Structure formats: C-alpha cells, structure tokens
Amino acid sequence: MYEYEGKYVGLRGAVGLSHFFLRERVRPGDRVVDATCGNGHDTLFLARLVGESGKVWGFDVQEEALTATRGRLAEAGCLHRVELVAAGHELLSEFVSESLAAVVFNLGYLPGGDKTRTTSPENTLLALEQAARLLQPGGVILVVLYSGHPGGDVECRAVEEWGGALSPGLFNVWRSCQLNRPASAPYLLITEKAVP
Ligand SMILES: C[S@@+](CC[C@H](N)C(=O)[O-])C[C@H]1O[C@@H](n2cnc3c(N)ncnc32)[C@H](O)[C@@H]1O
C-alpha cells in the first residue's frame, strides 16, 4: 500500500500497485468484493474506500482468515460495511448479484497460516468468470499472483491464459511485474471492463 495509516510508504510491490488502482476506481457507495480475505488487509482497504454507503463482500475458506479479518475490521470500526462469507470464491454469484466496481484476488496461502492451503486454478478461474460478469463498465479485477510456492506457477499460467482470452472489445487486460525484482516476485494482473 502506498499510504498506510496516513503515512506515504511508496507503491512497494504488487499489493501496493493493486491498492493504487483501487484508490483510482472505487468510490464511496460502490459495491466491491475481496475474493481472498486472508488477514483482512485488502478487505479493510476496500471498506474504507466504499465508505458508509458502500458494501464489501469478503470470501475465505479458512475460519482463521475470517477471524483475523473480522478483528481487523472491528478494530477500525468498519465491520458493518462488510459481509464476510465463509465459502469459496467459486460460489461468488450465489452470494453477490449486484454490479461491482472492483474484485480483488490475492492468491496463494494465508501468510502465517498453513502453506499447503492455497488457492487453486480451478476455483480461481470459476471465480474470475463470475467476477467478469458482475463487473460494471469501468470496473476492475485485480489479481496478485505468486509463482514461488508449489502449484503457484500453474495457477499463474491459468490466470494469464484466462486474461489473454478475454475479448479486447469487452475488456482491457494488463500484466504488471517488477523488472528489478526476482522473477518469482508477486505480480499483478489488471482487468478492466470496457466502457461502451
Ligand atoms: C494470500 S492470502 C490473502 C491475503 C489477504 N488479501 C490479505 O490482505 O491479508 C490467500 C487466501 O485465500 C484463501 N483461499 C484459498 N482458497 C480460497 C477459495 N476457494 N475462496 C476464497 N478464499 C480462498 C486462503 O484461505 C487465504 O486466506
């Protein structure tokens, strides 16, 4: 995040860059999704952006992650802006039917948790398909990708293939990696639904 608790800290890495785009696109009152809550950093960032009149849905399959996210939101006084969903993001459309300004994915495993419980290409692709359908024109899907853990490279390729196959008339898709970091550093896929 390039600003943390009011202090400018620079873009840093892929997560910071995703926050840069979120800050650009998400407005008070918007509906948004955090598809992988984890420790709740992105969920809180989104809850602050949508404000009192907006709404965030936050998904995770691990109770540990939802507990951490709930605590972070409560401490910041933002819990009432967020519906926490104890289900996989592959079920996105079962819980969300509104038009979305942004959907955020931070793939891989829960930092500080069980490193074998990672996101999977199958579920991520199912969720991305649904997210693309729910996105409002000008809305963005931001995916932070990790190739360094077992299976991560397969998931990266699957997500890139998904993005590369989207119609250029309907979506704009970018891949952003840091040239002065190791090839295994996290990177960002940005998908914008075109404005007709
Ligand atoms: C890298 S962490 C997310 C970090 C988080 N965004 C943050 O700010 O702390 C990835 C999370 O994805 C979750 N996850 C794995 N499979 C999932 C699925 N099918 N649906 C939703 N979350 C999933 C894991 O439980 C883990 O908490």
Side-chain angles (χ1 to χ4, degrees), residues 19-144:
H19 288 190
F20 177 82
F21 284 105
L22 290 174
R23 199 181 278 275
E24 213 284 321
R25 281 302 153 92
V26 178
R27 293 283 168 266
D30 277 346
R31 269 65 183 139
V32 299
V33 165
D34 184 352
T36 52
C37 285
N39 289 315
H41 297 283
D42 294 329
T43 325
L44 176 57
F45 190 79
L46 288 169
R48 285 186 167 138
L49 288 179
V50 300
E52 282 301 323
S53 55
K55 177 162 181 180
V56 185
W57 287 265
F59 289 77
D60 208 290
V61 288
Q62 296 193 66
E63 197 46 53
E64 186 186 346
L66 292 167
T67 301
T69 301
R70 193 176 293 110
R72 190 176 299 284
L73 292 166
E75 197 178 325
C78 292
L79 186 55
H80 60 288
R81 302 176 189 174
V82 181
E83 182 175 329
L84 289 174
V85 183
H89 44 222
E90 61 277 12
L91 300 177
L92 182 62
S93 319
E94 286 190 19
F95 294 89
V96 184
S97 55
E98 297 181 48
S99 292
L100 299 171
V103 182
V104 183
F105 293 78
N106 191 336
L107 302 179
Y109 55 82
L110 176 65
D114 181 350
K115 291 190 175 175
T116 65
R117 297 199 66 184
T118 61
T119 50
S120 74
E122 298 75 23
N123 288 333
T124 300
L125 293 184
L126 285 170
L128 283 169
E129 276 302 318
Q130 294 167 67
R133 274 200 298 276
L134 289 167
L135 218 55
Q136 66 192 34
V140 287
I141 301 172
L142 300 162
V143 189
V144 175

